[in-house]
Amino acid sequence: MKSLYPYPQLVGDVRLRPTQVLLDNLPVELARISEQENVVALHGIDRRWRTARLVMETTADPREIADGPWRNVRCLVIVTNSRTHVRHSFLAENEEPGRWRAEVDLDRAAHVGHCQLDAVFAADLDDGPARLVGRAETPWRVDFDSARPTRKRTLKMVWKDFTETPALEEFRDDPWTVDAEAGEPVLYLNSSVEGFRPLMEKASGAEQRTVRQLLASHIAAQAWEALFHTALYACGTEQDEDGRPQWPGGWHEEVLRTMLPELWPDLSPDDALREAVERRREGGNGADLHARLLHAVATRTRTQKTVTETVRALRRTNDRGTG
């Protein structure tokens, strides 16, 4: 779901990726860069380093760039780290039609935790200069606390017999529930539901695997919804000197930083947090926030792909039965 602007925007894919990562001019091993997770992991390097240089490549449809109603198109790579209040922009060089290159320098002393790299396109339009006309589909994360290029997982899964667990007994008829009150969120799966655990752990045959896949997608979607709402309320009412809500820290912050860019892809993480907190605070029916959350969760859990594959599997089964 993208925000609407009263002026033209790029509709084609805008992609960002690192082509090279160097620490004090020495390249890092490729295992520390994951294009699947969009993460660069820089913890645990066997030497002390001061500056990380990431050579970032941004691509967009060259025909759309050339034929659009914009002038003076610029591509910038933006670095943000909310914990250290870092926000830098690096102007990318247009090396060839549809391809831009920027050298992004990260001072180790200026960063804690992780920072985000995003690419935006600005252009002059008839109604004003330097309009935002495009943004990378997926930003990158540079993690200073991890040696593996993976997004941190926020949910632990535990099988429990709800009928024999006092804390879960009131949910005895539910196949699963999420405990988001503890220091670490936990997804509890109910082993007392007949056939549920064998299906999820030892599905045999195409039909059972199809059902398991659909169930897993549904469970993940409900878990992400529960975690997001809990994390959003964990922000409380505290604001900084500029009137912005404070990130809650811990797993709550991890969930929000994961989900908010998918709810408001055209906003910075800080602006997206402010938007979400204001909508929660204002009350109302919350329809737009809920619709954005459903879309973000469906994207993250690949619900559309799962449903499509399930329908295809059922169609194949029906075809075999009538053949």
Side-chain angles (χ1 to χ4, degrees):
M1 182 178 294
K2 293 187 177 181
S3 298
L4 298 178
Y5 288 81
Y7 54 81
Q9 289 237 304
L10 296 172
V11 296
D13 288 342
V14 176
R15 300 194 181 277
L16 175 71
R17 73 180 188 95
T19 59
Q20 192 176 23
V21 179
L22 306 104
L23 300 181
D24 293 335
N25 293 320
L26 295 176
V28 304
E29 57 188 6
L30 293 178
R32 289 183 172 271
I33 305 170
S34 172
E35 294 208 23
Q36 182 178 4
E37 297 268 0
N38 284 53
V39 174
V40 177
L42 296 181
H43 181 66
I45 304 294
D46 293 335
R47 54 188 168 82
R48 296 177 64 87
W49 56 274
R50 294 183 177 181
T51 304
R53 170 165 290 181
L54 286 79
V55 181
M56 304 300 296
E57 177 186 85
T58 307
T59 57
D61 185 347
R63 291 172 297 180
E64 187 178 12
I65 294 290
D67 298 340
W70 27 67
R71 305 177 302 279
N72 192 23
V73 177
R74 288 92 73 196
C75 176
L76 298 96
V77 177
I78 298 176
V79 177
T80 55
N81 188 319
S82 63
R83 293 181 63 182
T84 55
H85 303 289
V86 166
R87 184 175 175 85
H88 298 311
S89 61
F90 298 82
L91 184 63
E93 181 181 352
N94 188 195
E95 294 192 317
E96 61 181 72
R99 191 179 303 275
W100 288 258
R101 178 180 181 273
E103 293 186 352
V104 175
D105 289 335
L106 306 177
D107 185 351
R108 181 64 186 92
H111 290 277
V112 173
H114 63 267
C115 67
Q116 178 172 291
L117 274 65
D118 204 354
V120 299
F121 281 93
D124 299 337
L125 295 169
D126 291 339
D127 64 345
R131 296 290 197 182
L132 175 66
V133 297
R135 176 172 240 126
E137 180 180 348
T138 307
W140 276 73
R141 171 175 175 154
V142 179
D143 198 326
F144 301 96
D145 293 336
S146 176
R148 298 180 59 192
T150 58
R151 303 265 176 180
K152 293 179 182 178
R153 307 308 180 204
T154 57
L155 194 60
K156 180 169 67 174
M157 185 176 69
V158 177
W159 283 99
K160 286 281 188 180
D161 185 334
F162 288 15
T163 63
E164 298 179 358
T165 307
L168 299 172
E169 191 172 7
E170 63 178 305
F171 309 115
R172 60 189 304 141
D173 295 326
D174 298 343
W176 62 81
T177 190
V178 176
D179 179 4
E181 298 296 329
E184 179 186 8
V186 180
L187 168 66
Y188 288 109
L189 301 174
N190 191 353
S191 60
S192 68
V193 175
E194 184 178 357
F196 183 38
R197 186 165 187 171
L199 173 66
M200 299 303 293
E201 292 185 340
K202 301 176 182 178
S204 59
E207 292 183 4
Q208 285 194 11
R209 287 193 294 270
T210 297
V211 174
R212 180 185 63 185
Q213 184 178 6
L214 191 61
L215 270 176
S217 177
H218 185 50
I219 293 170
Q222 287 200 338
W224 274 109
E225 287 185 55
L227 293 180
F228 177 83
H229 285 300
T230 303
L232 184 58
Y233 275 88
C235 291
T237 58
E238 294 183 5
Q239 298 179 337
D240 63 15
E241 61 276 9
D242 296 323
R244 294 175 299 190
Q246 296 292 292
W247 291 95
W251 71 261
H252 297 103
E253 180 170 341
E254 183 68 29
V255 167
L256 291 174
R257 289 192 178 279
T258 298
M259 296 297 295
L260 285 173
E262 298 179 13
L263 269 73
W264 286 283
D266 298 307
L267 297 180
S268 69
D270 287 340
D271 289 341
L273 179 64
R274 175 186 290 180
E275 187 74 24
V277 170
E278 287 180 353
R279 294 190 186 210
R280 184 206 71 193
R281 187 180 298 141
E282 291 170 357
N285 61 17
D288 182 69
L289 176 60
H290 188 63
R292 288 176 180 271
L293 177 60
L294 288 179
H295 173 75
V297 167
T299 300
R300 174 151 294 275
T301 58
R302 300 181 179 180
T303 300
Q304 181 181 3
K305 180 180 178 182
T306 301
V307 170
T308 300
E309 291 178 349
T310 300
V311 171
R312 289 174 179 170
L314 292 174
R315 185 181 298 143
R316 288 194 296 269
T317 301
N318 289 336
D319 290 343
R320 287 196 298 268
T322 57

